Amino acid sequence: MHHPIPFKLASALGLSLTVGLLLANPALAANPDTPKPFNIPQQQLIPALTEFAEQSGVELLYSSAMAEHLTAQPVKGQYTPKQALAAMLADSGISYRYVDANVITLAQGEKAAQTVPATTTPTPSATDLPTVKVMGIAGANDDPTDPYNAVYHSSSTNTATKTDTPIMETPVSIQVVPKAVMGDQKTTTIKDALENVSSVRPQSSLGLSNAFITRGFRNGRVFRNGLVANGLGIGEGAQFDSANLERVEVLKGPAAVLFGRIEPGGLVNLVTKKPRTEPYHSVEQRFGSYDFYRTEWDATDALTKDKSVSYRFTGAYQNNKSFRDFNFNDRVLVNPSLTWRPSDATEMSLEVEALHEDYQVDRGLFAIGNRPAPIPVTRSFIDPNDPVDTNSKVNLGFNLSHAFNDNWTLRNRFLASFIYDQNTSVKPANGFTVEQFFDPSTGNRTYSRNIFSQTSNNETYTTNLDLTGKFKLGGVSHQTLVGMDYLRAVGTYKFYGNYQDPVPGLAIDIYNPKYGIDPSYYAKALATPSDGGVNHYLFRDSWYGAYFQDHITLWDNIHLLGGGRYDWATTGVGMGDSFSVAEAALPSRQDEGFSPRVGILYQPWQWASLYGNWTTSFGANNGITATGATINPEIGEQFEAGLKTELFAKRLTTTLAYYHLTKQNVLTRDFKSPDPFAVAAIGEARSQGIELDMSGQITDEISVIGNYAFTDARITKDYSGLQGNRLNNVPEHSGSLWLKYDIRHYTPLNGLSFGLGVFAAGERQGDNDNTFVLPGYARLDAFTSYACQFGESRLITQFNIRNLLDKVYYESTDPFQNAPPRVGIYPGAPLTAMGSVRLEF
């Protein structure tokens, strides 16, 4: 595939030309005399030409130096490509010439446009540019699936509305982290990628980063291509590796109207890489601190001459130790996928994602008084003799889309997810507070521990069927969605070992730890079921949902979004000394509810939109109290208003939002119970705040992604007197700013890039009781890279430093998994260096 990158071509006369090539899909190209809709605002000429190529389906070959500093005239309405291009180039001094029906060359010449019939090949003249095959990074490329795409800007997303709607026309807050950002920052899991989005905080459990706090509320469910990817979230689940990700999308606020049972803070949707018909292959090797080694690969191409069948095979292998004692990771991920297009209207794809990981559970650090303990963040209180822990997952996905015509399309998705996790560790004794473990005033410095093991299995089957259509009624444009979905999840969980009380002989000195537990301790502890012999749980979850949505456009600048969803949900949790007993005692409940959403957006100018929305969410609580009672559904409600802009020739998108969000029947871990899954509903919590997000390009050389959030998240109603307390792990102030500079015009430095970023958060409460705080921090990251061309191949070397100033900071506390947050504090990594070499061919 051709890719537009600026480069200098020195001629024999000493002249230099900067050549840009814009490619559109030839299959989309129409007869140059056939009218079609165009909507290109007045703007700089180069981005206007990009839009023309996308909307017309033709290729443009031109000198970008010739087009710099020129302004394109606006074009809106039904025009032939000839008419649209002539109107756009009026008074520019640039002429155009058809090479064939799909290719147009631009050159300096007469103001009046020149044309040649599509069937005639023109004779090259002194002003014609030769056809050049260009490979590299496209500064103006807005195709998110292009492997060479290096821009931070995303103009549209389908997560917010399940339709391909421009962000500027969507009356909700939706943020995108493209693969270009993840590549520059060298992220390996989605936790690091989401640091670029406002109001999103990680909340790890046992060191695995699969859950996030969004707008104050924790969400343990992650979606993959619009479907639930980790089921019930029992146990720890499996990592979400970034090797197969095209982008990460975050929909802020309640998303139940289109996605069913989901936390009201927001939704994280992972968009995976899809097969392409153009050949692309890459292999990358990374190496870094703490014996870090990682290999990534990506290969895609058509399998048939007519390009009706294409494949993609991506994956990664990673092996590393950790800055934390006794921790390590050994992970392999493979993602084969296949797409078949039997006709222009129909597409089917099949994909498999398989991950296996050996690792060591990390129990983190603990608090003394109201702060993390003053001990090195590298120190661990597990044991080197711990058995190796393991988790694995397999995702089987199927997608079908069929376009009945230009306006109506039917889509079906299916995903089967199988997740297994088993881990054993030395852990804090839950029946005691940290201050009871030791008393520095008396010289007691020991830390009481026990041994605990858990195994979980999750199976999730989910599917949806969506019908989307565009039509006009009474002169008003409608984009309509009608759909239904179904989810069924089953999970089993068992645990062994002493859960509450200290085990004699396992106490450890926190300031001078001695390691090496006798293996007989493990054998003895793991032969004893926890909780008086009750060690088996069975979880079941199913729901049906039907939804509708209509996006109405009035006078081209007012957008009304309305819709609703009705859910029928069944949940159940059972326990016993065997799975048969757990299933027989399975209490279940059935709930149903309606979740509406309405929004309005006014676009007074092409570059600015004002919006507001009101939406609710319905979540069937999958938990039981210490007495075995089920809990009423969680209900969320949000009011939001904001401003969106597209600046710098529509290459930089910003969103400023204010929201007020409440959630009723909030679940929290009941630490007064010996049952590791006992929960209680604290009543009601409220989160309100202001968010600012921006991403894209300021110039051809400068890219930026950044955010700021002010969040006031508190418990407003509670059964145990926590009213007024701040929700755990939610900073009042947080944000990040990442800047990248690409040298594009100065040889021999052309291909050199470097970037700098700061990621900051204020102090956060470590638990809902507000007994201790995690101090605020600011972390500085940096990178530099160099890309050089070898024929049609490209080699990129890169060097990243994370936590450049080697600051001590703490990311989060464990929310409820097997230990109170006071004994589950997860520190951030010290200064970490990483180098990489990638070959693209």
Side-chain angles (χ1 to χ4, degrees), residues 386-563:
D386 274 5
V388 172
D389 305 312
T390 184
N391 66 48
S392 61
K393 70 174 177 181
V394 175
N395 286 325
L396 302 176
F398 172 78
N399 297 279
L400 167 66
S401 67
H402 176 74
F404 298 103
N405 50 46
D406 291 340
N407 296 323
W408 290 92
T409 301
L410 185 70
R411 293 183 176 87
N412 171 238
R413 294 185 178 93
F414 171 81
L415 180 65
S417 179
F418 308 91
I419 302 175
Y420 171 83
D421 180 76
Q422 191 282 326
N423 61 74
T424 301
S425 67
V426 182
K427 61 174 288 294
N430 280 28
F432 294 78
T433 65
V434 174
E435 282 72 21
Q436 288 175 301
F437 293 153
F438 57 90
D439 184 358
S441 65
T442 63
N444 182 13
R445 312 191 313 179
T446 59
Y447 175 63
S448 298
R449 302 181 298 173
N450 54 35
I451 298 176
F452 183 74
S453 179
Q454 57 185 349
T455 301
S456 63
N457 272 291
N458 287 265
E459 291 185 17
T460 306
Y461 305 90
T462 180
T463 185
N464 72 344
L465 183 67
D466 294 333
L467 176 65
T468 59
K470 298 179 181 180
F471 61 92
K472 282 192 175 183
L473 184 63
V476 177
S477 297
H478 293 259
Q479 188 172 24
T480 300
L481 165 70
V482 179
M484 59 180 295
D485 55 27
Y486 170 71
L487 178 143
R488 179 180 182 272
V490 177
T492 57
Y493 174 85
K494 61 181 178 179
F495 52 98
Y496 292 88
N498 190 305
Y499 183 77
Q500 288 284 102
D501 302 324
V503 172
L506 294 188
I508 189 170
D509 188 327
I510 66 169
Y511 297 112
N512 187 26
K514 305 296 183 182
Y515 301 103
I517 296 176
D518 191 306
S520 63
Y521 276 88
Y522 290 99
K524 181 179 179 180
L526 301 183
T528 306
S530 297
D531 194 20
V534 178
N535 71 323
H536 288 78
Y537 272 79
L538 178 67
F539 295 76
R540 281 185 178 173
D541 194 359
S542 65
W543 83 67
Y544 300 85
Y547 47 89
F548 69 93
Q549 176 183 274
D550 193 14
H551 184 174
I552 302 171
T553 302
L554 302 172
W555 306 295
D556 294 328
N557 60 359
I558 296 179
H559 300 271
L560 304 176
L561 183 68

Side-chain angles (χ1 to χ4, degrees), residues 98 149 162-163 219 221 433 525 563 566 616 648 735 741 746 835:
Y98 267 90
N149 187 343
K162 285 194 174 181
T163 59
N219 186 6
R221 280 187 168 167
T433 65
Y566 204 90
T616 66
F648 300 102
Y741 186 82
Y746 307 98

Side-chain angles (χ1 to χ4, degrees), residues 526-715:
L526 301 183
T528 306
S530 297
D531 194 20
V534 178
N535 71 323
H536 288 78
Y537 272 79
L538 178 67
F539 295 76
R540 281 185 178 173
D541 194 359
S542 65
W543 83 67
Y544 300 85
Y547 47 89
F548 69 93
Q549 176 183 274
D550 193 14
H551 184 174
I552 302 171
T553 302
L554 302 172
W555 306 295
D556 294 328
N557 60 359
I558 296 179
H559 300 271
L560 304 176
L561 183 68
R565 174 192 180 93
Y566 204 90
D567 279 293
W568 298 265
T570 302
T571 59
V573 181
M575 58 183 138
D577 58 1
S578 68
F579 290 121
S580 60
V581 174
E583 185 170 9
L586 183 69
S588 63
R589 63 176 294 139
Q590 294 183 343
D591 296 288
E592 57 185 75
F594 179 69
S595 304
R597 177 172 71 172
V598 294
I600 183 171
L601 182 143
Y602 173 55
Q603 196 169 10
W605 306 283
Q606 288 287 335
W607 56 270
S609 300
L610 298 168
Y611 76 94
N613 66 65
W614 170 76
T615 183
T616 66
S617 67
F618 169 83
N621 272 332
N622 198 348
I624 56 176
T625 67
T627 61
T630 58
I631 299 174
N632 290 332
E634 295 176 341
I635 303 297
E637 182 181 30
Q638 176 184 272
F639 298 89
E640 179 181 336
L643 168 67
K644 301 182 180 185
T645 65
E646 271 192 331
L647 305 174
F648 300 102
K650 301 181 68 173
R651 295 186 298 180
L652 179 72
T653 300
T654 67
T655 301
L656 177 66
Y658 166 78
Y659 67 91
H660 184 278
L661 176 62
T662 58
K663 177 182 176 183
Q664 296 178 343
N665 295 323
V666 181
L667 290 185
T668 186
R669 171 76 169 84
D670 185 358
F671 293 109
K672 299 175 183 178
S673 170
D675 181 352
F677 279 93
V679 292
I682 65 174
E684 182 183 270
R686 181 267 298 149
S687 177
Q688 61 184 357
I690 299 173
E691 301 169 340
L692 175 64
D693 288 89
M694 61 179 175
S695 63
Q697 290 178 269
I698 298 175
T699 69
D700 287 343
E701 293 81 19
I702 301 175
S703 301
V704 61
I705 185 168
N707 70 85
Y708 165 77
F710 167 78
T711 310
D712 180 18
R714 298 177 183 271
I715 298 170

